[in-house]
Amino acid sequence: MECTLYALNNSVNAITVYNPSPMPSSQEIKEFPWDKVDWLIVNEGEAEDLYKVLSRHGSSFGESPSEILLLLSTQPALATTNIICTLGKDGVVAFIPAFHRQKQEHNHNTPNFIRLPAAVLQGTIRDTTGAGDCFTGYLVQGLMGFGPQATPGHGIRESDIVSILMTCVQAAGMCVERPGTIDSIPTIFEVRTRLISQ
């Protein structure tokens, strides 16, 4: 955690991506500089845990992933943070404030998200260990392709985010078809070939 905090507190004009895995303690979550995170990547359980601590809700509740994501996005500390929530076999849901808050204001606060299904597998699930890291790596690579100053609404369109997420979901899906962690991560060529074939 010390290295993460150092990087966040000393980054100047950098786009920051944070995946809180393993999940920090409740105290670390409360003290974390969330306003310095541009992109937050969580799974469903992490999203719920973060919301419980940041909102001081504390107990379990039965909201859907989209509802949890919306609740998380309403936390003042995450007001401008792009939040990506991976859902395993159910795909991914994303809330991008530059695109979705604007739509909420025009649609009487109807939540808007990017929702994508999980990848169609060409085999069985062999190992899920590296899937989250694979997804995160492909997200960072996709964002880097737009340059260091690009942000949603300024050089990155909503359709670009959808395209990046489609690649991430496909890569993570291919990752679980293989055993191991680093060795299971597919190349971009393999991912693009699979996407084209569908």
Side-chain angles (χ1 to χ4, degrees), residues 120 122 170 174 189-198:
V120 176
Q122 292 184 357
Q170 186 61 63
M174 293 171 72
F189 177 77
E190 291 173 311
V191 174
R192 288 180 179 152
T193 300
R194 181 81 65 93
L195 282 168
I196 291 168
S197 72
Q198 295 182 1

Side-chain angles (χ1 to χ4, degrees), residues 122-137:
Q122 292 184 357
T124 60
I125 295 174
R126 298 191 60 197
D127 190 346
T128 61
T129 308
D133 292 333
C134 177
F135 183 97
T136 300

Side-chain angles (χ1 to χ4, degrees), residues 62-197:
E63 278 86 354
S64 72
S66 294
E67 291 168 324
I68 294 169
L69 192 61
L70 181 63
L71 290 169
L72 196 56
S73 74
T74 63
Q75 296 305 299
L78 297 171
T80 61
T81 304
N82 303 294
I83 307 172
I84 312 291
C85 184
T86 60
L87 307 172
K89 66 178 178 52
D90 294 322
V92 66
V93 61
F95 183 83
I96 311 297
F99 305 127
H100 302 138
R101 285 214 199 283
Q102 208 171 41
K103 288 180 183 176
Q104 278 182 285
E105 292 167 8
H106 291 50
N107 293 330
H108 308 292
N109 292 326
T110 301
N112 287 281
F113 304 97
I114 296 171
R115 289 183 184 88
L116 295 173
V120 176
L121 302 183
Q122 292 184 357
T124 60
I125 295 174
R126 298 191 60 197
D127 190 346
T128 61
T129 308
D133 292 333
C134 177
F135 183 97
T136 300
Y138 269 90
L139 179 75
V140 170
Q141 183 274 333
L143 294 172
M144 289 176 66
F146 289 91
Q149 304 306 314
T151 60
H154 297 91
I156 302 176
R157 299 166 303 186
E158 187 170 7
S159 60
D160 297 325
I161 300 297
V162 170
S163 180
I164 291 169
L165 290 176
M166 286 175 65
T167 301
C168 296
V169 167
Q170 186 61 63
M174 293 171 72
C175 181
V176 303
E177 295 173 347
R178 305 170 180 179
T181 51
I182 293 174
D183 293 338
S184 68
I185 296 174
T187 66
I188 190 66
F189 177 77
E190 291 173 311
V191 174
R192 288 180 179 152
T193 300
R194 181 81 65 93
L195 282 168
I196 291 168
S197 72

Side-chain angles (χ1 to χ4, degrees), residues 29-77:
I29 290 171
K30 290 175 190 173
E31 296 172 356
F32 195 83
W34 294 105
D35 60 319
K36 295 182 179 182
V37 176
D38 297 305
W39 293 87
L40 175 64
I41 306 168
V42 290
N43 63 33
E44 191 174 349
E46 292 163 345
E48 188 171 340
D49 290 346
L50 280 176
Y51 176 71
K52 286 179 193 176
V53 174
L54 292 174
S55 69
R56 294 168 174 47
H57 192 273
S59 61
S60 184
F61 50 94
E63 278 86 354
S64 72
S66 294
E67 291 168 324
I68 294 169
L69 192 61
L70 181 63
L71 290 169
L72 196 56
S73 74
T74 63
Q75 296 305 299

